[in-house]
Amino acid sequence: MSAATESPADAPTADWVDPAVMMRDPYGTYARLRELGPVVWVPVMGRYLVTSFEGCRDVEADQEIYSASVTGGSATLARALGGRPMLRKDDPEHAVERQAVNPTMRPKNVRQTWAPVFERNARKYLEVLRDVGPDEADLNRDYAAPLASQNLVDLLGLRGTSVADMQRWSHAFIAGTGNLHDDEDIWRRCDVAREEVDALLEELVPYYRQHPDGSMTSAFVNSGLPHEAVAANVKLTISGGMNEPQHMVTAIVWALSRHQDQRERVLADPALWPTVFDEAVRWVSPIGMYPRETTRATVLAGTQLPEGAPIGVVVAAANRDPQAFPRPDAFDIARPKQPHLGFGSGVHLCAGHWAARISIGEIAVPLAYQGFPGLRADPRREEQWDGWVFRGLTSLPVTWGPA
Ligand code: HEM
């Protein structure tokens, strides 16, 4: 928590925030909120939004005051999944579940066990893209979406699951997590997805007890966690491990299409791919906001907060905070290396960040440029962005060959 030296102020109110505008493009709203202060009460969302880099980092540094175990209308993730996964627990309970998969997700293991699988999948879907051809290809539909889905089926070890089922489950859980207005249809789709995943786990749990392997589900099953915790965390990973890598494939190609000079630099020096990946996660963070709740009255970035205050940690805004990043709105792979918050921070730092870095930043995107010289956004057809809590390109028409 930031210790206030002056008497803390009440949070300013932003009654002009329009979620529909934010769905189209949230960055103008983030800039206006930041001008009001690092912590702002937003009535239409019923929560305090934290938009400064320091404020978001302070929240993540103190889980005793800023709990991930949110309640009330913020508890949609637990409802969608039918149980509380590690992401909605604080330590020490959280740590027990997180430790179950940490060894599987270490970079050495991801490179040894999973990189060959990620590469095989990437090559398969690059052929799909090639078959669609440079006049009709959509990088999201034909490559990023099926690839991210197949990678997650494999990494989770959900044997026999189709790309389409994984996509349907993941989208249902994500929609449930965002279902702040209790749309019945969304809950119904969540119920179906939950029942199907639970039925699959009835088969997979005994299987992995007998045949442990390097998958995440095997790690959860053989860690001694109770069945409810295994099921909740497999479903958490289904909801969190597909869309974001998918969105980073398209975001990077979109960014490089608009910055020819940087595109040429990385194509001439492939050692720059990891830098390109991290700068893109900062610039267009696929997870924009996640919730926390105060366990007692406190002061955050000079702002008074009551006990039980619902908080939105807006990491997408923090990643464009001019106090933290010079020229924050510029995509710039030459900027000095410094940490961003795109994967969160603190104890809930994304468990899959190495899997994402390697599968997308080191494999999926470089292979696409290798296989399709001249790959770029197709100026003849329009791309589409959507969302702010989860944000990405829902369509990115691409072409290749000589310009
Ligand atoms: C570019 C891709 C990704 C981004 C930007 C991303 C972002 C994040 C963020 C911001 C959090 C923290 C949320 C919070 O504290 O409420 C998180 C947590 C998590 N992510 Fe990711 N993620 C990505 C890919 C993945 C992948 C590929 C997987 C798994 C295969 C994954 C699994 C998880 C899990 C299990 C957690 C919960 C960690 C915990 O509670 O300790 N993520 N992710």
Side-chain angles (χ1 to χ4, degrees):
M1 145 180 152
S2 323
T5 44
E6 295 164 19
S7 59
D10 284 338
T13 296
D15 55 7
W16 44 265
V17 171
D18 181 349
V21 170
M22 293 178 76
M23 291 295 280
R24 288 197 294 278
D25 182 350
Y27 285 101
T29 303
Y30 294 158
R32 276 184 76 187
L33 287 172
R34 232 187 281 103
E35 274 166 25
L36 277 179
V39 185
V40 176
W41 171 249
V42 180
V44 71
M45 289 169 192
R47 60 180 81 199
Y48 295 86
L49 293 188
V50 185
T51 54
S52 72
F53 187 87
E54 237 187 278
C56 289
R57 216 189 31 199
D58 286 353
V59 168
E60 290 305 334
D62 193 340
Q63 53 169 344
E64 278 182 22
I65 294 181
Y66 304 102
S67 172
S69 177
V70 296
T71 58
S74 295
T76 45
L77 176 67
R79 172 155 181 204
L81 305 184
R84 231 169 231 276
M86 62 173 125
L87 189 57
R88 290 290 171 269
K89 292 180 180 171
D90 301 315
D91 284 353
E93 292 80 9
H94 157 269
V96 175
E97 299 181 18
R98 174 73 187 242
Q99 276 156 15
V101 279
N102 276 345
T104 309
M105 307 305 274
R106 286 197 184 113
K108 189 167 168 222
N109 190 55
V110 174
R111 278 188 219 288
Q112 269 174 3
T113 309
W114 296 109
V117 176
F118 297 150
E119 180 170 340
R120 183 194 66 204
N121 293 340
R123 291 192 187 281
K124 172 177 167 185
Y125 286 104
L126 284 175
E127 288 317 307
V128 173
L129 193 67
R130 196 179 302 285
D131 285 347
V132 181
D135 293 324
E136 290 183 23
D138 182 321
L139 194 69
N140 182 56
R141 180 195 64 203
D142 304 321
Y143 183 57
L147 173 61
S149 173
Q150 185 63 59
N151 281 350
L152 190 58
V153 167
D154 292 333
L155 178 58
L156 263 172
L158 298 187
R159 302 159 59 84
T161 300
S162 67
V163 157
D165 278 345
M166 172 59 91
Q167 288 173 328
R168 187 167 48 81
W169 295 339
S170 189
H171 293 154
F173 293 147
I174 290 171
T177 306
N179 196 12
L180 302 174
H181 301 292
D182 273 334
D183 180 314
E184 276 308 315
D185 191 47
I186 290 180
W187 288 135
R188 255 193 306 278
R189 278 191 281 139
C190 254
D191 292 345
V192 172
R194 208 169 48 231
E195 279 160 22
E196 290 178 9
V197 176
D198 284 338
L200 177 63
L201 286 175
E202 288 299 320
E203 290 168 29
L204 287 184
V205 169
Y207 175 84
Y208 280 126
R209 284 225 174 86
Q210 295 289 321
H211 308 92
D213 69 7
S215 69
M216 291 180 77
T217 301
S218 176
F220 281 128
V221 166
N222 292 300
S223 65
L225 291 176
H227 184 88
E228 310 82 76
V230 171
N233 285 307
V234 167
K235 284 178 264 184
L236 167 71
T237 312
I238 291 175
S239 80
M242 190 190 80
N243 260 28
E244 293 75 30
Q246 171 184 338
H247 286 155
M248 289 320 297
V249 174
T250 47
I252 293 172
V253 173
W254 184 78
L256 293 180
S257 300
R258 298 163 73 92
H259 297 86
Q260 287 300 322
D261 49 333
Q262 301 189 54
R263 177 175 180 273
E264 275 158 33
R265 278 192 59 200
V266 64
L267 292 182
D269 179 7
L272 286 173
W273 278 119
T275 308
V276 170
F277 178 83
D278 261 290
E279 173 62 354
V281 175
R282 180 199 71 81
W283 194 48
V284 284
S285 311
I287 293 190
M289 187 272 282
Y290 50 78
R292 294 289 185 264
E293 191 171 299
T294 55
T295 55
R296 55 179 190 256
T298 188
V299 175
L300 174 64
T303 312
Q304 188 75 53
L305 290 173
E307 179 181 343
I311 290 180
V313 184
V314 192
V315 286
N319 282 340
R320 299 256 194 128
D321 181 350
Q323 304 275 357
F325 300 95
R327 296 187 309 113
D329 293 326
F331 174 78
D332 180 5
I333 59 172
R335 66 173 61 250
K337 205 172 162 52
Q338 75 183 88
H340 62 74
L341 297 176
F343 288 109
S345 69
V347 303
H348 294 285
L349 174 74
C350 176
H353 72 106
W354 278 111
R357 285 193 156 94
I358 292 167
S359 65
I360 305 308
E362 295 182 20
I363 297 176
V365 176
L367 279 184
Y369 279 97
Q370 231 176 63
F372 295 81
L375 179 69
R376 59 194 180 276
D378 186 345
R380 298 167 298 178
R381 296 173 287 146
E382 230 172 79
E383 70 252 3
Q384 265 166 13
W385 284 88
D386 188 46
W388 72 279
V389 174
F390 304 105
R391 181 164 178 80
L393 281 147
T394 50
S395 170
L396 181 62
V398 286
T399 189
W400 52 87

